Amino acid sequence: MKLERITINPNQMNGQPCIRGQRLTVKRVIDLLATYPDRHELYQEFPELEEEDIRQALAYVSACLEDRILELADDHEIVA
């Protein structure tokens, strides 16, 4: 999958991946998705954000997490 909307510039936002060269990082988009469960409200607050931006931000994060094994501290119990 080509993620042409995700840009990385070492001179912008400390090199964090951004959406279309804007000062809107992929991390911020993921945070916004958690904060605004209603996409209509999200788009009202951030009109520069497009559905394809969100899709590619999710795909980018998913690719970054792919096949990683995270060890939990012994004092944490996993509850399903």
Side-chain angles (χ1 to χ4, degrees):
M1 171 186 295
K2 187 174 180 181
L3 302 175
E4 69 276 348
R5 291 179 177 237
I6 308 299
T7 58
I8 299 175
N9 178 344
N11 298 317
Q12 180 183 25
M13 303 299 288
N14 295 321
Q16 294 182 55
C18 293
I19 303 297
R20 293 183 282 123
Q22 301 176 28
R23 297 180 59 82
L24 184 60
T25 65
V26 169
K27 180 190 180 311
R28 180 72 172 134
V29 171
I30 301 305
D31 290 343
L32 291 171
L33 286 172
T35 304
Y36 293 90
D38 179 0
R39 293 257 178 110
H40 180 71
E41 186 179 343
L42 172 62
Y43 293 136
Q44 285 182 329
E45 292 293 322
F46 295 87
E48 69 277 15
L49 194 58
E50 299 174 6
E51 183 65 31
E52 184 62 16
D53 297 331
I54 291 173
R55 192 183 71 70
Q56 288 193 22
L58 289 169
Y60 180 87
V61 170
S62 176
C64 289
L65 295 174
E66 188 173 6
D67 294 331
R68 291 180 67 185
I69 297 173
L70 302 175
E71 293 187 31
L72 300 177
D74 291 335
D75 60 340
H76 290 88
E77 181 179 332
I78 298 174
V79 178

